[in-house]
Amino acid sequence: MITYAISATVILFCIVYYWLKTKYSYWHKKNVVGPTPTPVVGTFGPVFLRKKTATQLITEIYNRYPNEKYFGIYQGTSPALVLRDIELIKQVMIKDFVQFQDRGFKISDSEADQNLFSVEGDTWRVLRHRLTPIFTTGKLKTMIPLVLRSVDKFLEYTDEIVEKNLDHEIRSLASKYTLDVIGSCAFGVDVDAFSQKKNVYRDVADKVLQIGFKTRFFQIFNAFFPGIVKKLGISLTDYELFGFFMDLVHKIIKEREGKPKIRKDFMDFMIELKEEGRVIRKGDTGVAGLEMNDIIITAQAMVFYVAGFETSSATMSFLIHEICQHQDIQERIYEEVNNVIKKHGGLSYEAISDMRYLEMVFDETLRKYPVVGVLRRKCGYEYTFSDTKLSLEKNTSILIPSAAIHHDPKYYPDPEKFDPERFSPENKSKIPSCAYLPFGDGPRNCIGMRFAKVQSMIGLAAFLNKFKVEASSKTKKTLEIDPTALTLTSKDGIWVNIKRRH
Ligand code: HEM
């Protein structure tokens, strides 16, 4: 009996060993360099163990291969190609986009997971086409009065808290503002973000940013056994959270009696699409289309909520962290903001467009602190990079190391230096295409880019016109990054002293 058990264990061990050896020779066989994988976890051990973010890990490896155009890694047992060369990145994101349209995030077919960020194929094309009009300049302009209401609350609240205390954690303050904006612009609800009382919208906002155990487990499981989660029909959605958004969407649709109102916010667009029933791209024939039911609407609402407030508040707080240490930059922003407000008689879309220096500082902030530091694409068909002759199989994962590129001295000399002049009109035009990717690039870039810029810049302009930030005893010159966070986050928060200017 014992002999049988030992033999079975040895055979099993040999099978697993052979299987892993075959899996991990994938890049070697294609003559692609890369770090030696650790059995089972591949290259991603520190990420699975939450010791490093994927961005930190990929950046480290990027710096080890300065002369390569790409390198190969393994997420668990799944191979992924990381592109270093910006010409190849351009091919993937822009020139040959049709072959690389999807991110490869879709690991379940559940309707609740059909959000714009993770959907694939025709469904993405249809959805993107129909959601794009929400973010036109005209539409953004109509949202400015809503944003300005949140700005007033933001300033009033800051005025109160500086009375009591000087030292403040700026990220949580900025996220109150962006949460208020997104609640109002996307759903037409007052999320009461500045209230001292316990608040369900804030709780939900905190919860959506934590990757739940279930999601983490199945993401890792999917890295080892690609496709099985999908075949088993498992959804990665947190149903308690989804239920909250579903109730909110039902409430809004009921309040508006199933018809879009003149508010023309995100929910109005959704209701319009629901009225149309099946959503297809105009001019498309034979496209699968998409039934706009309440689940699909809720899935979009949720992704807009998550993407809408956290990324912008992070950027605002990193900017404040930098100008706290560069008072000359802060004073130049103040002068510009003050003059532009006087010229335009207040804050408006046009006024913000006139704040060129603030925009340079904003762009440099996202260069130094790209909130999303690794972008993803999936190879849709067999593909060969023309100049390198490397051929990719269908479904190969492609990673674009945007944070590493933003810190590569080849594109940005002295990359740790915070220098807004890199984005002056004459210098900006010299930055090569695909060397600056805070919002991604190509047809699948960030749909909310302009909204993000407008809400952040209005909030910052109003704040810096009234308050001044200085280093406090808690301010850290170099921020330590939280290895467990989904987007770029400082482990100990971002602390500054806030003082009234007048
Ligand atoms: C500073 C703020 C923001 C940053 C840095 C940011 C960054 C990004 C990045 C890097 C991507 C992936 C792009 C790619 O793969 O090429 C993305 C996608 C996306 N973002 Fe943003 N984002 C921000 C704000 C927003 C806002 C305000 C919204 C919505 C209100 C939004 C909604 C989305 C959506 C829906 C996608 C997926 C688009 C698609 O797949 O078609 N983002 N964002």
Side-chain angles (χ1 to χ4, degrees):
M1 193 65 193
I2 293 175
T3 325
Y4 278 135
I6 292 172
S7 314
T9 313
V10 170
I11 292 170
L12 190 69
F13 181 82
C14 290
I15 293 173
V16 172
Y17 176 80
Y18 182 74
W19 179 70
L20 285 175
K21 207 170 152 42
T22 318
K23 285 268 172 197
Y24 291 138
S25 57
Y26 185 85
W27 289 125
H28 183 70
K29 279 186 198 152
K30 285 185 175 287
N31 276 330
V32 174
V33 297
T36 312
T38 307
V40 185
V41 289
T43 323
F44 259 52
V47 178
F48 293 147
L49 292 172
R50 309 181 93 181
K51 290 198 170 137
K52 281 179 192 163
T53 61
T55 301
Q56 288 172 318
L57 179 77
I58 301 284
T59 305
E60 271 173 32
I61 307 174
Y62 176 99
N63 291 331
R64 264 186 251 159
Y65 297 96
N67 301 320
E68 299 296 329
K69 290 190 170 193
Y70 42 70
F71 56 88
I73 58 159
Y74 297 89
Q75 302 173 91
T77 52
S78 308
L81 185 76
V82 186
L83 300 180
R84 285 189 97 264
D85 180 81
I86 57 171
E87 283 309 313
L88 297 185
I89 294 176
K90 213 187 301 172
Q91 274 183 43
V92 166
M93 299 189 97
I94 305 169
K95 275 168 73 194
D96 289 333
F97 171 75
V98 206
Q99 270 101 324
F100 298 96
Q101 180 198 277
D102 300 325
R103 291 207 170 85
F105 271 143
K106 184 170 176 268
I107 46 181
S108 115
D109 277 330
S110 151
E111 271 194 327
D113 294 333
Q114 306 294 305
N115 62 63
L116 186 66
F117 198 83
S118 37
V119 286
E120 301 195 336
D122 284 340
T123 314
W124 172 74
R125 290 198 303 124
V126 167
L127 211 49
R128 174 89 188 204
H129 181 73
R130 298 312 302 268
L131 295 178
T132 298
I134 305 180
F135 297 97
T136 58
T137 308
K139 190 76 208 47
L140 285 181
K141 281 186 184 173
T142 65
M143 285 183 190
I144 297 294
L146 299 176
V147 178
L148 288 175
R149 254 185 262 165
S150 299
V151 165
D152 287 344
K153 289 194 245 171
F154 178 32
L155 297 185
E156 219 174 279
Y157 177 80
T158 313
D159 215 31
E160 266 172 43
I161 59 168
V162 296
E163 190 73 46
K164 297 178 200 140
N165 212 338
L166 278 180
D167 219 355
H168 298 280
E169 204 284 296
I170 201 76
R171 181 152 180 168
S172 69
L173 178 61
S175 70
K176 283 185 178 29
Y177 161 69
T178 50
L179 189 60
D180 209 74
V181 174
I182 204 75
S184 159
C185 293
F187 301 101
V189 293
D190 183 359
V191 301
D192 206 12
F194 295 98
S195 147
Q196 302 285 359
K197 285 184 245 142
K198 212 171 150 44
N199 175 322
V200 63
Y201 293 103
R202 272 213 316 260
D203 291 348
V204 163
D206 290 342
K207 223 174 153 203
V208 282
L209 296 173
Q210 294 156 8
I211 318 173
F213 174 76
K214 182 178 124 186
T215 311
R216 198 158 193 96
F217 174 79
F218 283 116
Q219 273 173 352
I220 295 174
F221 185 83
N222 195 59
F224 295 121
F225 308 108
I228 295 200
V229 177
K230 196 168 167 183
K231 281 202 185 94
L232 293 175
I234 296 168
S235 165
L236 295 191
T237 304
D238 176 335
Y239 277 99
E240 200 190 319
L241 212 57
F242 197 79
F244 169 84
F245 280 99
M246 189 88 174
D247 288 348
L248 181 63
V249 165
H250 279 151
K251 197 172 131 222
I252 297 167
I253 295 179
K254 203 168 155 208
E255 269 170 18
R256 299 182 190 185
E257 293 161 342
K259 299 263 172 256
K261 278 195 167 181
I262 37 164
R263 254 190 97 86
K264 288 274 166 232
D265 55 18
F266 165 76
M267 276 309 296
D268 266 359
F269 270 92
M270 286 295 166
I271 296 169
E272 258 173 48
L273 295 182
K274 193 180 174 197
E275 277 192 321
E276 282 179 31
R278 203 166 172 71
V279 177
I280 53 164
R281 247 165 64 130
K282 285 196 180 86
D284 270 357
T285 47
V287 171
L290 182 68
E291 206 70 57
M292 280 312 269
N293 59 31
D294 290 358
I295 302 181
I296 300 281
I297 292 181
T298 306
Q300 312 320 312
M302 226 170 128
V303 88
F304 276 60
Y305 196 78
V306 182
F309 87 99
E310 175 59 16
T311 44
S312 297
S313 60
T315 311
M316 288 171 74
S317 53
F318 286 127
L319 185 147
I320 288 175
H321 168 75
E322 284 292 340
I323 61 170
C324 180
Q325 288 164 70
H326 296 93
Q327 290 295 329
D328 52 328
I329 298 179
Q330 182 167 186
E331 285 316 299
R332 204 171 145 190
I333 296 176
Y334 174 68
E335 263 169 45
E336 177 184 78
V337 167
N338 209 264
N339 289 337
V340 171
I341 289 179
K342 274 187 199 142
K343 180 177 152 199
H344 288 264
L347 279 168
S348 59
Y349 186 86
E350 289 71 21
I352 287 299
S353 315
D354 235 358
M355 295 182 187
R356 301 289 155 84
Y357 187 66
L358 179 60
E359 189 175 5
M360 282 161 59
V361 181
F362 185 84
D363 290 347
E364 170 66 350
T365 304
L366 275 172
R367 197 275 310 163
K368 191 169 171 191
Y369 304 95
V371 190
V372 184
V374 179
L375 310 172
R376 287 171 188 264
R377 294 292 185 268
K378 184 176 84 174
C379 182
Y381 310 95
E382 260 179 44
Y383 181 86
T384 305
F385 284 115
S386 44
D387 59 343
T388 68
K389 305 281 176 265
L390 170 69
S391 48
L392 301 176
E393 284 175 61
K394 187 179 170 185
N395 291 337
T396 305
S397 289
I398 311 283
L399 304 185
I400 293 130
S402 46
I405 294 171
H406 287 192
H407 288 261
D408 189 334
K410 189 163 139 196
Y411 308 114
Y412 301 99
D414 198 0
E416 295 317 310
K417 183 177 172 202
F418 186 78
D419 180 9
E421 292 309 318
R422 299 181 205 270
F423 292 90
S424 67
E426 56 281 25
N427 291 339
K428 196 174 176 175
S429 59
K430 290 183 208 143
I431 299 174
S433 161
C434 286
Y436 183 63
L437 297 164
F439 294 101
D441 209 334
R444 196 141 195 188
N445 68 351
C446 173
I447 196 170
M449 176 172 74
R450 283 195 297 161
F451 179 81
K453 267 193 148 174
V454 168
Q455 75 162 344
S456 308
M457 283 178 58
I458 289 196
L460 284 162
F463 176 81
L464 294 170
N465 192 38
K466 192 160 179 190
F467 304 99
K468 187 178 164 72
V469 288
E470 284 171 4
S472 85
S473 56
K474 289 188 185 170
T475 304
K476 288 197 172 157
K477 213 164 174 238
T478 310
L479 301 172
E480 199 182 329
I481 299 307
D482 180 355
T484 64
L486 200 58
T487 50
L488 190 70
T489 305
S490 160
K491 203 173 166 196
D492 308 306
I494 297 179
W495 290 86
V496 290
N497 270 346
I498 307 177
K499 290 182 181 165
R500 282 195 200 99
R501 276 198 179 262
H502 306 293

